[in-house]
Amino acid sequence: QFNRFVFKAEQAEYEYEGIEWSNIEFPDNQEALDLIEAKRLGIFSVLDEQCRLPRRTDQTFAKSVYDTCESNSYFSASRMQRSKGRFAVTHFAGEVEYDSNGFMEKN
């Protein structure tokens, strides 16, 4: 939404000022953003829930993320990544790997 808003605002300003420009195509990153910050089903929501519960660890957080997010096409976690408590989110710029080690303490 942010990219769409900023680019459309800039394009409208160019038109208003009579500046020559060509249409900019940009990816809609909303699904990746939802994966990270959606209520109940987003990674941040899972992290918050895990931090409120007793005896939770980075490993229980990672497992909960796998269980909650595995059906999202922007989320991935190979067997190797899972064995190390890692997962990946595909952003507009490509796949970014996250290591859950320290997530609980930092939150």
PDB file of all heavy atoms in Angstrom, residues 69-107:
ATOM      1  N   CYS A  69       2.343 -20.242   9.358  1.00  0.00           N
ATOM      2  CA  CYS A  69       2.626 -19.549   8.095  1.00  0.00           C
ATOM      3  C   CYS A  69       2.936 -20.454   6.904  1.00  0.00           C
ATOM      4  O   CYS A  69       3.064 -19.959   5.783  1.00  0.00           O
ATOM      5  CB  CYS A  69       3.793 -18.591   8.300  1.00  0.00           C
ATOM      6  SG  CYS A  69       3.517 -17.356   9.578  1.00  0.00           S
ATOM      7  N   GLU A  70       3.047 -21.759   7.110  1.00  0.00           N
ATOM      8  CA  GLU A  70       3.517 -22.633   6.040  1.00  0.00           C
ATOM      9  C   GLU A  70       2.636 -22.621   4.792  1.00  0.00           C
ATOM     10  O   GLU A  70       3.125 -22.897   3.698  1.00  0.00           O
ATOM     11  CB  GLU A  70       3.729 -24.048   6.546  1.00  0.00           C
ATOM     12  CG  GLU A  70       2.470 -24.784   6.933  1.00  0.00           C
ATOM     13  CD  GLU A  70       2.778 -26.149   7.523  1.00  0.00           C
ATOM     14  OE1 GLU A  70       3.927 -26.609   7.426  1.00  0.00           O
ATOM     15  OE2 GLU A  70       1.859 -26.749   8.083  1.00  0.00           O
ATOM     16  N   SER A  71       1.384 -22.268   4.913  1.00  0.00           N
ATOM     17  CA  SER A  71       0.504 -22.254   3.742  1.00  0.00           C
ATOM     18  C   SER A  71       0.612 -20.952   2.941  1.00  0.00           C
ATOM     19  O   SER A  71       0.076 -20.857   1.839  1.00  0.00           O
ATOM     20  CB  SER A  71      -0.951 -22.480   4.156  1.00  0.00           C
ATOM     21  OG  SER A  71      -1.402 -21.406   4.946  1.00  0.00           O
ATOM     22  N   ASN A  72       1.308 -19.961   3.475  1.00  0.00           N
ATOM     23  CA  ASN A  72       1.476 -18.692   2.782  1.00  0.00           C
ATOM     24  C   ASN A  72       2.551 -18.841   1.701  1.00  0.00           C
ATOM     25  O   ASN A  72       3.663 -19.290   1.988  1.00  0.00           O
ATOM     26  CB  ASN A  72       1.862 -17.598   3.780  1.00  0.00           C
ATOM     27  CG  ASN A  72       1.856 -16.226   3.171  1.00  0.00           C
ATOM     28  OD1 ASN A  72       2.553 -15.955   2.206  1.00  0.00           O
ATOM     29  ND2 ASN A  72       1.078 -15.336   3.758  1.00  0.00           N
ATOM     30  N   SER A  73       2.245 -18.438   0.491  1.00  0.00           N
ATOM     31  CA  SER A  73       3.192 -18.622  -0.626  1.00  0.00           C
ATOM     32  C   SER A  73       4.434 -17.742  -0.501  1.00  0.00           C
ATOM     33  O   SER A  73       5.427 -17.988  -1.173  1.00  0.00           O
ATOM     34  CB  SER A  73       2.496 -18.354  -1.961  1.00  0.00           C
ATOM     35  OG  SER A  73       2.045 -17.013  -2.019  1.00  0.00           O
ATOM     36  N   TYR A  74       4.410 -16.750   0.381  1.00  0.00           N
ATOM     37  CA  TYR A  74       5.570 -15.888   0.586  1.00  0.00           C
ATOM     38  C   TYR A  74       6.477 -16.404   1.711  1.00  0.00           C
ATOM     39  O   TYR A  74       7.502 -15.816   2.007  1.00  0.00           O
ATOM     40  CB  TYR A  74       5.131 -14.450   0.901  1.00  0.00           C
ATOM     41  CG  TYR A  74       4.624 -13.741  -0.322  1.00  0.00           C
ATOM     42  CD1 TYR A  74       3.342 -13.972  -0.813  1.00  0.00           C
ATOM     43  CD2 TYR A  74       5.428 -12.851  -1.016  1.00  0.00           C
ATOM     44  CE1 TYR A  74       2.880 -13.333  -1.946  1.00  0.00           C
ATOM     45  CE2 TYR A  74       4.980 -12.212  -2.155  1.00  0.00           C
ATOM     46  CZ  TYR A  74       3.705 -12.452  -2.604  1.00  0.00           C
ATOM     47  OH  TYR A  74       3.252 -11.833  -3.728  1.00  0.00           O
ATOM     48  N   PHE A  75       6.099 -17.510   2.318  1.00  0.00           N
ATOM     49  CA  PHE A  75       6.841 -18.117   3.420  1.00  0.00           C
ATOM     50  C   PHE A  75       7.445 -19.433   2.972  1.00  0.00           C
ATOM     51  O   PHE A  75       6.817 -20.201   2.248  1.00  0.00           O
ATOM     52  CB  PHE A  75       5.897 -18.377   4.607  1.00  0.00           C
ATOM     53  CG  PHE A  75       6.567 -19.031   5.770  1.00  0.00           C
ATOM     54  CD1 PHE A  75       7.235 -18.274   6.703  1.00  0.00           C
ATOM     55  CD2 PHE A  75       6.524 -20.409   5.931  1.00  0.00           C
ATOM     56  CE1 PHE A  75       7.851 -18.877   7.792  1.00  0.00           C
ATOM     57  CE2 PHE A  75       7.142 -21.019   6.999  1.00  0.00           C
ATOM     58  CZ  PHE A  75       7.806 -20.255   7.934  1.00  0.00           C
ATOM     59  N   SER A  76       8.662 -19.707   3.426  1.00  0.00           N
ATOM     60  CA  SER A  76       9.253 -21.017   3.163  1.00  0.00           C
ATOM     61  C   SER A  76      10.197 -21.397   4.301  1.00  0.00           C
ATOM     62  O   SER A  76      10.752 -20.524   4.975  1.00  0.00           O
ATOM     63  CB  SER A  76      10.003 -21.046   1.830  1.00  0.00           C
ATOM     64  OG  SER A  76      11.094 -20.157   1.845  1.00  0.00           O
ATOM     65  N   ALA A  77      10.336 -22.688   4.495  1.00  0.00           N
ATOM     66  CA  ALA A  77      11.270 -23.219   5.484  1.00  0.00           C
ATOM     67  C   ALA A  77      11.604 -24.647   5.075  1.00  0.00           C
ATOM     68  O   ALA A  77      10.785 -25.549   5.235  1.00  0.00           O
ATOM     69  CB  ALA A  77      10.671 -23.173   6.880  1.00  0.00           C
ATOM     70  N   SER A  78      12.782 -24.828   4.533  1.00  0.00           N
ATOM     71  CA  SER A  78      13.224 -26.165   4.124  1.00  0.00           C
ATOM     72  C   SER A  78      13.526 -26.998   5.369  1.00  0.00           C
ATOM     73  O   SER A  78      13.588 -26.472   6.489  1.00  0.00           O
ATOM     74  CB  SER A  78      14.482 -26.061   3.265  1.00  0.00           C
ATOM     75  OG  SER A  78      15.574 -25.590   4.056  1.00  0.00           O
ATOM     76  N   ARG A  79      13.749 -28.272   5.193  1.00  0.00           N
ATOM     77  CA  ARG A  79      14.108 -29.134   6.329  1.00  0.00           C
ATOM     78  C   ARG A  79      15.388 -28.630   6.989  1.00  0.00           C
ATOM     79  O   ARG A  79      15.501 -28.625   8.210  1.00  0.00           O
ATOM     80  CB  ARG A  79      14.301 -30.574   5.864  1.00  0.00           C
ATOM     81  CG  ARG A  79      13.028 -31.314   5.680  1.00  0.00           C
ATOM     82  CD  ARG A  79      13.294 -32.767   5.422  1.00  0.00           C
ATOM     83  NE  ARG A  79      12.040 -33.499   5.340  1.00  0.00           N
ATOM     84  CZ  ARG A  79      11.918 -34.671   4.815  1.00  0.00           C
ATOM     85  NH1 ARG A  79      12.960 -35.285   4.300  1.00  0.00           N
ATOM     86  NH2 ARG A  79      10.749 -35.269   4.791  1.00  0.00           N
ATOM     87  N   MET A  80      16.339 -28.226   6.167  1.00  0.00           N
ATOM     88  CA  MET A  80      17.609 -27.723   6.696  1.00  0.00           C
ATOM     89  C   MET A  80      17.365 -26.439   7.507  1.00  0.00           C
ATOM     90  O   MET A  80      17.891 -26.284   8.606  1.00  0.00           O
ATOM     91  CB  MET A  80      18.593 -27.436   5.561  1.00  0.00           C
ATOM     92  CG  MET A  80      19.917 -26.885   6.046  1.00  0.00           C
ATOM     93  SD  MET A  80      20.853 -28.052   7.039  1.00  0.00           S
ATOM     94  CE  MET A  80      21.566 -29.019   5.740  1.00  0.00           C
ATOM     95  N   GLN A  81      16.549 -25.540   6.966  1.00  0.00           N
ATOM     96  CA  GLN A  81      16.239 -24.302   7.697  1.00  0.00           C
ATOM     97  C   GLN A  81      15.526 -24.609   9.010  1.00  0.00           C
ATOM     98  O   GLN A  81      15.860 -24.039  10.049  1.00  0.00           O
ATOM     99  CB  GLN A  81      15.383 -23.369   6.843  1.00  0.00           C
ATOM    100  CG  GLN A  81      16.147 -22.697   5.725  1.00  0.00           C
ATOM    101  CD  GLN A  81      15.234 -21.931   4.793  1.00  0.00           C
ATOM    102  OE1 GLN A  81      14.206 -22.434   4.356  1.00  0.00           O
ATOM    103  NE2 GLN A  81      15.626 -20.709   4.470  1.00  0.00           N
ATOM    104  N   ARG A  82      14.560 -25.511   8.971  1.00  0.00           N
ATOM    105  CA  ARG A  82      13.809 -25.871  10.185  1.00  0.00           C
ATOM    106  C   ARG A  82      14.727 -26.460  11.244  1.00  0.00           C
ATOM    107  O   ARG A  82      14.556 -26.186  12.434  1.00  0.00           O
ATOM    108  CB  ARG A  82      12.682 -26.843   9.862  1.00  0.00           C
ATOM    109  CG  ARG A  82      11.530 -26.187   9.126  1.00  0.00           C
ATOM    110  CD  ARG A  82      10.483 -27.212   8.691  1.00  0.00           C
ATOM    111  NE  ARG A  82       9.485 -26.607   7.847  1.00  0.00           N
ATOM    112  CZ  ARG A  82       8.208 -26.453   8.181  1.00  0.00           C
ATOM    113  NH1 ARG A  82       7.762 -26.883   9.339  1.00  0.00           N
ATOM    114  NH2 ARG A  82       7.370 -25.874   7.350  1.00  0.00           N
ATOM    115  N   SER A  83      15.689 -27.264  10.828  1.00  0.00           N
ATOM    116  CA  SER A  83      16.608 -27.871  11.799  1.00  0.00           C
ATOM    117  C   SER A  83      17.470 -26.818  12.496  1.00  0.00           C
ATOM    118  O   SER A  83      17.992 -27.063  13.583  1.00  0.00           O
ATOM    119  CB  SER A  83      17.502 -28.916  11.123  1.00  0.00           C
ATOM    120  OG  SER A  83      18.467 -28.291  10.292  1.00  0.00           O
ATOM    121  N   LYS A  84      17.584 -25.637  11.891  1.00  0.00           N
ATOM    122  CA  LYS A  84      18.386 -24.555  12.473  1.00  0.00           C
ATOM    123  C   LYS A  84      17.527 -23.406  13.006  1.00  0.00           C
ATOM    124  O   LYS A  84      18.052 -22.365  13.383  1.00  0.00           O
ATOM    125  CB  LYS A  84      19.356 -24.018  11.416  1.00  0.00           C
ATOM    126  CG  LYS A  84      20.373 -25.051  10.968  1.00  0.00           C
ATOM    127  CD  LYS A  84      21.284 -24.497   9.905  1.00  0.00           C
ATOM    128  CE  LYS A  84      22.287 -25.555   9.483  1.00  0.00           C
ATOM    129  NZ  LYS A  84      23.221 -25.047   8.485  1.00  0.00           N
ATOM    130  N   GLY A  85      16.189 -23.592  13.006  1.00  0.00           N
ATOM    131  CA  GLY A  85      15.299 -22.554  13.504  1.00  0.00           C
ATOM    132  C   GLY A  85      15.198 -21.356  12.576  1.00  0.00           C
ATOM    133  O   GLY A  85      14.982 -20.234  13.006  1.00  0.00           O
ATOM    134  N   ARG A  86      15.326 -21.597  11.298  1.00  0.00           N
ATOM    135  CA  ARG A  86      15.294 -20.514  10.305  1.00  0.00           C
ATOM    136  C   ARG A  86      14.072 -20.630   9.409  1.00  0.00           C
ATOM    137  O   ARG A  86      13.482 -21.688   9.275  1.00  0.00           O
ATOM    138  CB  ARG A  86      16.564 -20.547   9.458  1.00  0.00           C
ATOM    139  CG  ARG A  86      17.811 -20.317  10.269  1.00  0.00           C
ATOM    140  CD  ARG A  86      19.053 -20.387   9.442  1.00  0.00           C
ATOM    141  NE  ARG A  86      20.212 -20.150  10.295  1.00  0.00           N
ATOM    142  CZ  ARG A  86      21.443 -20.331   9.917  1.00  0.00           C
ATOM    143  NH1 ARG A  86      21.707 -20.742   8.688  1.00  0.00           N
ATOM    144  NH2 ARG A  86      22.432 -20.088  10.746  1.00  0.00           N
ATOM    145  N   PHE A  87      13.747 -19.525   8.764  1.00  0.00           N
ATOM    146  CA  PHE A  87      12.672 -19.497   7.773  1.00  0.00           C
ATOM    147  C   PHE A  87      12.949 -18.351   6.813  1.00  0.00           C
ATOM    148  O   PHE A  87      13.806 -17.508   7.076  1.00  0.00           O
ATOM    149  CB  PHE A  87      11.299 -19.348   8.442  1.00  0.00           C
ATOM    150  CG  PHE A  87      11.159 -18.127   9.308  1.00  0.00           C
ATOM    151  CD1 PHE A  87      10.737 -16.912   8.774  1.00  0.00           C
ATOM    152  CD2 PHE A  87      11.440 -18.188  10.669  1.00  0.00           C
ATOM    153  CE1 PHE A  87      10.605 -15.788   9.574  1.00  0.00           C
ATOM    154  CE2 PHE A  87      11.305 -17.065  11.479  1.00  0.00           C
ATOM    155  CZ  PHE A  87      10.887 -15.870  10.925  1.00  0.00           C
ATOM    156  N   ALA A  88      12.234 -18.331   5.702  1.00  0.00           N
ATOM    157  CA  ALA A  88      12.451 -17.289   4.698  1.00  0.00           C
ATOM    158  C   ALA A  88      11.129 -16.631   4.323  1.00  0.00           C
ATOM    159  O   ALA A  88      10.078 -17.267   4.315  1.00  0.00           O
ATOM    160  CB  ALA A  88      13.111 -17.878   3.460  1.00  0.00           C
ATOM    161  N   VAL A  89      11.216 -15.352   4.023  1.00  0.00           N
ATOM    162  CA  VAL A  89      10.085 -14.568   3.526  1.00  0.00           C
ATOM    163  C   VAL A  89      10.506 -14.004   2.179  1.00  0.00           C
ATOM    164  O   VAL A  89      11.595 -13.443   2.056  1.00  0.00           O
ATOM    165  CB  VAL A  89       9.719 -13.429   4.496  1.00  0.00           C
ATOM    166  CG1 VAL A  89       8.638 -12.542   3.909  1.00  0.00           C
ATOM    167  CG2 VAL A  89       9.284 -13.989   5.850  1.00  0.00           C
ATOM    168  N   THR A  90       9.655 -14.179   1.184  1.00  0.00           N
ATOM    169  CA  THR A  90       9.951 -13.627  -0.137  1.00  0.00           C
ATOM    170  C   THR A  90       9.395 -12.220  -0.217  1.00  0.00           C
ATOM    171  O   THR A  90       8.186 -12.010  -0.172  1.00  0.00           O
ATOM    172  CB  THR A  90       9.347 -14.505  -1.252  1.00  0.00           C
ATOM    173  OG1 THR A  90       9.869 -15.837  -1.104  1.00  0.00           O
ATOM    174  CG2 THR A  90       9.707 -13.965  -2.619  1.00  0.00           C
ATOM    175  N   HIS A  91      10.301 -11.260  -0.281  1.00  0.00           N
ATOM    176  CA  HIS A  91       9.954  -9.853  -0.404  1.00  0.00           C
ATOM    177  C   HIS A  91      10.036  -9.473  -1.881  1.00  0.00           C
ATOM    178  O   HIS A  91      10.448 -10.283  -2.716  1.00  0.00           O
ATOM    179  CB  HIS A  91      10.956  -8.982   0.372  1.00  0.00           C
ATOM    180  CG  HIS A  91      10.992  -9.248   1.834  1.00  0.00           C
ATOM    181  ND1 HIS A  91      10.193  -8.593   2.722  1.00  0.00           N
ATOM    182  CD2 HIS A  91      11.748 -10.101   2.568  1.00  0.00           C
ATOM    183  CE1 HIS A  91      10.453  -9.016   3.947  1.00  0.00           C
ATOM    184  NE2 HIS A  91      11.388  -9.941   3.878  1.00  0.00           N
ATOM    185  N   PHE A  92       9.706  -8.230  -2.209  1.00  0.00           N
ATOM    186  CA  PHE A  92       9.786  -7.781  -3.597  1.00  0.00           C
ATOM    187  C   PHE A  92      11.210  -7.884  -4.126  1.00  0.00           C
ATOM    188  O   PHE A  92      11.416  -8.063  -5.319  1.00  0.00           O
ATOM    189  CB  PHE A  92       9.248  -6.354  -3.751  1.00  0.00           C
ATOM    190  CG  PHE A  92      10.110  -5.303  -3.111  1.00  0.00           C
ATOM    191  CD1 PHE A  92      11.079  -4.646  -3.858  1.00  0.00           C
ATOM    192  CD2 PHE A  92       9.948  -4.970  -1.783  1.00  0.00           C
ATOM    193  CE1 PHE A  92      11.877  -3.673  -3.277  1.00  0.00           C
ATOM    194  CE2 PHE A  92      10.733  -3.994  -1.197  1.00  0.00           C
ATOM    195  CZ  PHE A  92      11.699  -3.349  -1.944  1.00  0.00           C
ATOM    196  N   ALA A  93      12.193  -7.804  -3.253  1.00  0.00           N
ATOM    197  CA  ALA A  93      13.593  -7.839  -3.687  1.00  0.00           C
ATOM    198  C   ALA A  93      14.167  -9.251  -3.699  1.00  0.00           C
ATOM    199  O   ALA A  93      15.315  -9.444  -4.064  1.00  0.00           O
ATOM    200  CB  ALA A  93      14.431  -6.946  -2.778  1.00  0.00           C
ATOM    201  N   GLY A  94      13.380 -10.235  -3.296  1.00  0.00           N
ATOM    202  CA  GLY A  94      13.860 -11.613  -3.286  1.00  0.00           C
ATOM    203  C   GLY A  94      13.627 -12.272  -1.941  1.00  0.00           C
ATOM    204  O   GLY A  94      12.978 -11.716  -1.054  1.00  0.00           O
ATOM    205  N   GLU A  95      14.172 -13.454  -1.793  1.00  0.00           N
ATOM    206  CA  GLU A  95      13.985 -14.231  -0.576  1.00  0.00           C
ATOM    207  C   GLU A  95      14.970 -13.779   0.505  1.00  0.00           C
ATOM    208  O   GLU A  95      16.157 -13.634   0.239  1.00  0.00           O
ATOM    209  CB  GLU A  95      14.188 -15.716  -0.879  1.00  0.00           C
ATOM    210  CG  GLU A  95      13.828 -16.618   0.269  1.00  0.00           C
ATOM    211  CD  GLU A  95      13.901 -18.077  -0.110  1.00  0.00           C
ATOM    212  OE1 GLU A  95      12.933 -18.583  -0.693  1.00  0.00           O
ATOM    213  OE2 GLU A  95      14.958 -18.679   0.167  1.00  0.00           O
ATOM    214  N   VAL A  96      14.446 -13.556   1.704  1.00  0.00           N
ATOM    215  CA  VAL A  96      15.273 -13.142   2.838  1.00  0.00           C
ATOM    216  C   VAL A  96      15.118 -14.186   3.930  1.00  0.00           C
ATOM    217  O   VAL A  96      13.997 -14.505   4.335  1.00  0.00           O
ATOM    218  CB  VAL A  96      14.846 -11.752   3.363  1.00  0.00           C
ATOM    219  CG1 VAL A  96      15.680 -11.353   4.578  1.00  0.00           C
ATOM    220  CG2 VAL A  96      14.964 -10.710   2.265  1.00  0.00           C
ATOM    221  N   GLU A  97      16.243 -14.714   4.406  1.00  0.00           N
ATOM    222  CA  GLU A  97      16.207 -15.731   5.443  1.00  0.00           C
ATOM    223  C   GLU A  97      16.327 -15.087   6.823  1.00  0.00           C
ATOM    224  O   GLU A  97      17.111 -14.170   7.022  1.00  0.00           O
ATOM    225  CB  GLU A  97      17.341 -16.737   5.256  1.00  0.00           C
ATOM    226  CG  GLU A  97      17.271 -17.886   6.259  1.00  0.00           C
ATOM    227  CD  GLU A  97      18.349 -18.922   6.043  1.00  0.00           C
ATOM    228  OE1 GLU A  97      19.517 -18.627   6.393  1.00  0.00           O
ATOM    229  OE2 GLU A  97      18.025 -19.990   5.512  1.00  0.00           O
ATOM    230  N   TYR A  98      15.533 -15.596   7.759  1.00  0.00           N
ATOM    231  CA  TYR A  98      15.547 -15.123   9.139  1.00  0.00           C
ATOM    232  C   TYR A  98      15.944 -16.267  10.054  1.00  0.00           C
ATOM    233  O   TYR A  98      15.533 -17.399   9.850  1.00  0.00           O
ATOM    234  CB  TYR A  98      14.165 -14.603   9.542  1.00  0.00           C
ATOM    235  CG  TYR A  98      13.755 -13.388   8.752  1.00  0.00           C
ATOM    236  CD1 TYR A  98      13.061 -13.532   7.550  1.00  0.00           C
ATOM    237  CD2 TYR A  98      14.084 -12.110   9.175  1.00  0.00           C
ATOM    238  CE1 TYR A  98      12.699 -12.417   6.806  1.00  0.00           C
ATOM    239  CE2 TYR A  98      13.726 -10.993   8.435  1.00  0.00           C
ATOM    240  CZ  TYR A  98      13.034 -11.155   7.251  1.00  0.00           C
ATOM    241  OH  TYR A  98      12.682 -10.059   6.514  1.00  0.00           O
ATOM    242  N   ASP A  99      16.710 -15.953  11.078  1.00  0.00           N
ATOM    243  CA  ASP A  99      17.118 -16.913  12.091  1.00  0.00           C
ATOM    244  C   ASP A  99      16.357 -16.564  13.369  1.00  0.00           C
ATOM    245  O   ASP A  99      16.484 -15.454  13.885  1.00  0.00           O
ATOM    246  CB  ASP A  99      18.625 -16.801  12.313  1.00  0.00           C
ATOM    247  CG  ASP A  99      19.176 -17.855  13.248  1.00  0.00           C
ATOM    248  OD1 ASP A  99      18.401 -18.423  14.054  1.00  0.00           O
ATOM    249  OD2 ASP A  99      20.397 -18.103  13.193  1.00  0.00           O
ATOM    250  N   SER A 100      15.554 -17.504  13.870  1.00  0.00           N
ATOM    251  CA  SER A 100      14.715 -17.218  15.035  1.00  0.00           C
ATOM    252  C   SER A 100      15.511 -17.105  16.330  1.00  0.00           C
ATOM    253  O   SER A 100      14.968 -16.674  17.345  1.00  0.00           O
ATOM    254  CB  SER A 100      13.634 -18.295  15.184  1.00  0.00           C
ATOM    255  OG  SER A 100      14.224 -19.539  15.483  1.00  0.00           O
ATOM    256  N   ASN A 101      16.771 -17.451  16.291  1.00  0.00           N
ATOM    257  CA  ASN A 101      17.612 -17.380  17.474  1.00  0.00           C
ATOM    258  C   ASN A 101      17.671 -15.939  17.997  1.00  0.00           C
ATOM    259  O   ASN A 101      18.115 -15.049  17.296  1.00  0.00           O
ATOM    260  CB  ASN A 101      19.016 -17.888  17.147  1.00  0.00           C
ATOM    261  CG  ASN A 101      19.801 -18.250  18.371  1.00  0.00           C
ATOM    262  OD1 ASN A 101      19.244 -18.408  19.447  1.00  0.00           O
ATOM    263  ND2 ASN A 101      21.104 -18.368  18.219  1.00  0.00           N
ATOM    264  N   GLY A 102      17.173 -15.720  19.217  1.00  0.00           N
ATOM    265  CA  GLY A 102      17.181 -14.399  19.817  1.00  0.00           C
ATOM    266  C   GLY A 102      15.905 -13.591  19.627  1.00  0.00           C
ATOM    267  O   GLY A 102      15.783 -12.510  20.212  1.00  0.00           O
ATOM    268  N   PHE A 103      14.977 -14.100  18.840  1.00  0.00           N
ATOM    269  CA  PHE A 103      13.724 -13.355  18.602  1.00  0.00           C
ATOM    270  C   PHE A 103      12.984 -13.096  19.912  1.00  0.00           C
ATOM    271  O   PHE A 103      12.493 -11.984  20.143  1.00  0.00           O
ATOM    272  CB  PHE A 103      12.808 -14.123  17.660  1.00  0.00           C
ATOM    273  CG  PHE A 103      12.921 -13.742  16.203  1.00  0.00           C
ATOM    274  CD1 PHE A 103      14.134 -13.815  15.545  1.00  0.00           C
ATOM    275  CD2 PHE A 103      11.801 -13.330  15.499  1.00  0.00           C
ATOM    276  CE1 PHE A 103      14.239 -13.483  14.209  1.00  0.00           C
ATOM    277  CE2 PHE A 103      11.895 -12.989  14.160  1.00  0.00           C
ATOM    278  CZ  PHE A 103      13.111 -13.062  13.514  1.00  0.00           C
ATOM    279  N   MET A 104      12.849 -14.106  20.745  1.00  0.00           N
ATOM    280  CA  MET A 104      12.075 -13.982  21.982  1.00  0.00           C
ATOM    281  C   MET A 104      12.702 -12.935  22.909  1.00  0.00           C
ATOM    282  O   MET A 104      12.007 -12.091  23.452  1.00  0.00           O
ATOM    283  CB  MET A 104      11.982 -15.324  22.695  1.00  0.00           C
ATOM    284  CG  MET A 104      11.262 -16.407  21.897  1.00  0.00           C
ATOM    285  SD  MET A 104       9.496 -16.191  21.825  1.00  0.00           S
ATOM    286  CE  MET A 104       9.074 -16.589  23.513  1.00  0.00           C
ATOM    287  N   GLU A 105      13.995 -12.983  23.067  1.00  0.00           N
ATOM    288  CA  GLU A 105      14.674 -12.043  23.952  1.00  0.00           C
ATOM    289  C   GLU A 105      14.578 -10.613  23.422  1.00  0.00           C
ATOM    290  O   GLU A 105      14.361  -9.675  24.174  1.00  0.00           O
ATOM    291  CB  GLU A 105      16.147 -12.427  24.098  1.00  0.00           C
ATOM    292  CG  GLU A 105      16.908 -11.519  25.018  1.00  0.00           C
ATOM    293  CD  GLU A 105      18.371 -11.916  25.144  1.00  0.00           C
ATOM    294  OE1 GLU A 105      18.726 -13.061  24.807  1.00  0.00           O
ATOM    295  OE2 GLU A 105      19.156 -11.046  25.560  1.00  0.00           O
ATOM    296  N   LYS A 106      14.701 -10.441  22.117  1.00  0.00           N
ATOM    297  CA  LYS A 106      14.681  -9.106  21.521  1.00  0.00           C
ATOM    298  C   LYS A 106      13.294  -8.481  21.522  1.00  0.00           C
ATOM    299  O   LYS A 106      13.166  -7.269  21.472  1.00  0.00           O
ATOM    300  CB  LYS A 106      15.224  -9.164  20.089  1.00  0.00           C
ATOM    301  CG  LYS A 106      16.700  -9.481  20.051  1.00  0.00           C
ATOM    302  CD  LYS A 106      17.193  -9.662  18.642  1.00  0.00           C
ATOM    303  CE  LYS A 106      18.635 -10.109  18.648  1.00  0.00           C
ATOM    304  NZ  LYS A 106      19.100 -10.442  17.298  1.00  0.00           N
ATOM    305  N   ASN A 107      12.245  -9.326  21.570  1.00  0.00           N
ATOM    306  CA  ASN A 107      10.894  -8.794  21.592  1.00  0.00           C
ATOM    307  C   ASN A 107      10.553  -8.361  22.996  1.00  0.00           C
ATOM    308  O   ASN A 107       9.761  -7.572  23.282  1.00  0.00           O
ATOM    309  CB  ASN A 107       9.883  -9.826  21.078  1.00  0.00           C
ATOM    310  CG  ASN A 107       8.560  -9.211  20.763  1.00  0.00           C
ATOM    311  OD1 ASN A 107       8.471  -8.160  20.170  1.00  0.00           O
ATOM    312  ND2 ASN A 107       7.500  -9.864  21.186  1.00  0.00           N
TER     313      ASN A 107
END
